[in-house]
Amino acid sequence: MIQINNLRKSYLVNGTKVEAVKGISFNVEKGQIFGVIGKSGAGKSSLLRCLNLLEIPDEGEILIEGRDITKLNPKELRNIRKEVSMIFQHFNLLKNSTVFKNVAFPLEIAGYKKDEIDSRVLELIDLVGLKDKKDEYPANLSGGQKQRVAIARALANNPKILLCDEATSALDPLTTKQILDLILELNRKLGLTVVLITHEMDVVDRICTHVAVMEKGEIVEIGIKDDVFKNPKSKTLKQFLQSERGSKVIVLEKKKDKAI
Amino acid sequence: MNEIIKLVLPSFLDTLYMVFLSTLFSILLGAPLGITLVLTEKDGLINMPKLNTILGTIINITRSIPFVILIILLFPLSRVIVGTSIGKEAAVVPLSIAAAPFVARVVESALKEIDKGIVEAAISLGASTNQIVFKVLLKEALPGLVLGITLTMVNIIGYSAMAGVIGGGGIGDLAVRYGYQRFRTDILIATVVVLVLLVEITQRSGNYIAKKIDRR
């Protein structure tokens, strides 16, 4: 589904070149939920943003269903972006548009007729469980509801791939769980391939089938999630697993305190 | 009193004529310029920093010419476009041109207020640059644009009075001919009152509309 070969991306920061992604290669197969985990600054966001060319890589190939998207002309690129959707940490909804209009946006720019748009939008809003909110503006929604709108909007053009850029990092734990359940449901129902980046172990643990661990622009561990988590090799993953266990222990102890 | 109304009313209508037309034309000239400024800046949607610098410089130069001098400079242009350099029609030309760079900056700053993430989301959904300008930038920035246009109108009201002084017609013209040359203090005061009210009403309506359409 997605093949990434020797991907490199660097930025100029105050005149000096900083390499964010250092020659990464990996594949994502159809139907996988592929998680990339790493600390802030590990390069995971740059990596993800290369997959729909929000960032233009310096070097390397990105093949989506066999087509190298780095070699497309602007029009072809716009079309491929309709197949590779994205959701964001801060939702990025149109603030002066209602829920309905936000979800209709990708359909309007794709040139669908009004009645087609109307029925598709209602279907999508229903799918993410926001039927009664269709005429609300984003300012009146909770974080979880905003992300649901963003998901509905991302799904409007029937994408094959959904990219999630820290999609639950601005949400509380309960809402995070609900959004993850929704993504999982969409993955199963629609066969949607998901690539997500996060610094929350819990997210990967809950829904990912596969995982890659990033450190300083490189992938240091990759594979089926259960295998990788059972036998962590990298410093990052060991630390993450430890702190997660740590937090679970704390929760248990707190519960015990209350019980006493 | 009757006489004052008889004198002030036609001048007031002339001023309205100048202000509305000049605002309209300055938007038509300035808004595309402002949008171009936003698109061509470094890392903008059409990355052309050189063009951006050139446009920016032209705008700054135009804005630094005092309005009275700009009118004199533009007399020939008025003659070409409306056939005369005297009267309310003639004043619309320099007023529009003087306000256009102001509109460009107002539009520029209103569009820059928009969260880059929203533009990014639109790109990720396959939007073209045109679609981003019309369906995202202008739409999201509408409240800011309304306030900016209001500010432009208030400026043009002031400028139009100045244009009146050198033969542009309207309230400024009346103030000079009666208030100054004929020592009619009552007319002078009446013109000031009319201008103050006009500015007040414009600003209040602008604020009201901007607030009404802002859902952020």
Side-chain angles (χ1 to χ4, degrees):
Chain A
M1 191 85 188
I2 310 173
Q3 284 171 275
I4 296 159
N5 295 326
N6 191 32
L7 188 73
R8 285 180 187 277
K9 175 70 191 172
S10 58
Y11 303 93
L12 277 178
V13 181
N14 301 325
T16 47
K17 195 172 148 183
V18 179
E19 279 198 293
V21 180
K22 299 174 184 168
I24 282 183
S25 305
F26 65 93
N27 295 342
V28 179
E29 303 303 331
K30 188 172 163 40
Q32 288 183 353
I33 300 184
F34 192 100
V36 179
I37 192 163
K39 295 177 188 166
S40 345
K44 44 191 200 308
S45 191
S46 302
L47 169 66
L48 190 78
R49 292 160 56 87
C50 280
L51 298 188
N52 61 356
L53 257 52
L54 276 184
E55 304 280 354
I56 313 292
D58 302 339
E59 225 186 287
E61 292 178 323
I62 300 161
L63 277 69
I64 306 243
E65 295 192 306
R67 281 171 86 196
D68 187 352
I69 62 166
T70 62
K71 296 193 173 65
L72 299 178
N73 67 34
K75 192 164 177 261
E76 290 171 326
L77 178 59
R78 285 202 296 275
N79 284 331
I80 210 91
R81 279 180 176 143
K82 287 166 188 160
E83 291 175 25
V84 187
S85 265
M86 194 172 207
I87 56 172
F88 303 85
Q89 181 174 4
H90 298 294
F91 326 121
N92 297 345
L93 299 176
L94 297 164
K95 297 193 180 80
N96 273 328
S97 297
T98 59
V99 167
F100 186 95
K101 276 297 200 179
N102 265 287
V103 180
F105 176 79
L107 299 166
E108 280 171 10
I109 61 173
Y112 286 96
K113 289 198 201 82
K114 203 186 163 291
D115 50 333
E116 286 176 305
I117 294 177
D118 287 357
S119 61
R120 177 84 180 125
V121 171
L122 292 177
E123 182 190 324
L124 286 160
I125 293 177
D126 196 22
L127 180 70
V128 298
L130 286 178
K131 221 173 184 176
D132 52 332
K133 299 282 181 193
K134 81 179 172 63
D135 295 320
E136 291 284 352
Y137 285 87
N140 301 329
L141 301 178
S142 69
Q145 290 169 334
K146 284 181 198 168
Q147 197 60 290
R148 283 171 191 273
V149 178
I151 290 171
R153 180 175 71 171
L155 293 177
N157 280 315
N158 287 315
K160 296 178 178 128
I161 299 167
L162 180 69
L163 308 175
C164 308
D165 187 356
E166 298 276 8
T168 55
S169 299
L171 304 175
D172 63 66
L174 182 66
T175 316
T176 294
K177 187 186 168 294
Q178 290 166 347
I179 293 293
L180 293 177
D181 287 347
L182 176 62
I183 293 173
L184 196 60
E185 186 192 325
L186 296 171
N187 164 261
R188 288 184 182 151
K189 233 196 225 164
L190 311 172
L192 196 65
T193 307
V194 180
V195 181
L196 63 86
I197 62 163
T198 181
H199 59 264
E200 298 170 307
M201 280 299 288
D202 204 36
V203 170
V204 178
D205 210 13
R206 197 181 289 273
I207 66 168
C208 287
T209 56
H210 293 70
V211 64
V213 183
M214 271 186 90
E215 262 174 32
K216 292 175 186 150
E218 287 168 358
I219 290 184
V220 290
E221 273 183 273
I222 186 165
I224 296 170
K225 180 198 70 191
D226 292 338
D227 299 348
V228 173
F229 275 22
K230 234 176 261 168
N231 190 10
K233 293 187 185 75
S234 66
K235 208 175 133 201
T236 301
L237 190 57
K238 281 180 186 162
Q239 282 175 345
F240 274 170
L241 284 168
Q242 215 161 32
S243 72
E244 193 195 27
R245 271 183 214 123
S247 66
K248 273 187 186 156
V249 171
I250 291 167
V251 172
L252 285 177
E253 278 176 355
K254 272 193 184 153
K255 275 187 189 155
K256 243 196 265 167
D257 283 352
K258 270 188 190 159
I260 294 165
Chain B
M1 194 64 202
N2 229 340
E3 188 206 356
I4 295 179
I5 293 172
K6 251 185 209 160
L7 282 169
V8 171
L9 190 65
S11 299
F12 174 66
L13 293 177
D14 282 357
T15 293
L16 280 188
Y17 173 92
M18 289 191 291
V19 169
F20 275 106
L21 277 187
S22 307
T23 305
L24 182 68
F25 288 128
S26 66
I27 293 171
L28 291 179
L29 289 170
L33 210 56
I35 294 167
T36 313
L37 280 176
V38 174
L39 294 179
T40 57
E41 72 174 352
K42 198 176 165 291
D43 299 324
L45 287 172
I46 310 168
N47 187 1
M48 290 172 80
K50 271 191 189 151
L51 177 65
N52 189 278
T53 312
I54 295 169
L55 284 179
T57 312
I58 294 172
I59 287 170
N60 290 345
I61 292 171
T62 328
R63 286 194 63 196
S64 53
I65 302 173
F67 182 62
V68 176
I69 297 173
L70 195 69
I71 301 179
I72 299 167
L73 286 174
L74 290 173
F75 270 159
L77 188 65
S78 290
R79 227 167 273 140
V80 171
I81 295 177
V82 292
T84 172
S85 58
I86 303 170
K88 59 181 198 271
E89 291 87 0
V92 169
V93 176
L95 280 172
S96 307
I97 292 175
F102 183 77
V103 172
R105 289 295 185 203
V106 156
V107 169
E108 183 193 19
S109 63
L111 298 192
K112 275 188 177 171
E113 286 283 299
I114 296 162
D115 185 357
K116 285 232 156 58
I118 295 176
V119 176
E120 220 160 55
I123 296 174
S124 81
L125 291 164
S128 66
T129 304
N130 259 334
Q131 289 169 329
I132 290 172
V133 169
F134 290 102
K135 294 198 168 231
V136 179
L137 292 179
L138 292 178
K139 214 174 156 205
E140 282 288 290
L142 207 54
L145 289 171
V146 168
L147 286 177
I149 301 303
T150 308
L151 200 59
T152 309
M153 277 184 98
V154 169
N155 270 338
I156 290 179
I157 293 168
Y159 281 168
S160 80
M162 244 191 276
V165 175
I166 51 171
I171 291 281
D173 175 52
L174 182 72
V176 171
R177 283 191 291 119
Y178 282 78
Y180 181 65
Q181 291 167 351
R182 299 183 196 176
F183 305 106
R184 288 288 302 269
T185 313
D186 52 343
I187 302 278
L188 198 60
I189 291 171
T191 58
V192 172
V193 169
V194 167
L195 285 177
V196 167
L197 285 177
L198 186 56
V199 168
E200 190 66 24
I201 291 167
T202 308
Q203 190 64 54
R204 275 176 195 259
S205 334
N207 290 352
Y208 176 79
I209 296 169
K211 204 175 165 201
K212 199 89 187 163
I213 58 175
D214 195 355
R215 304 291 186 160
R216 290 173 291 182

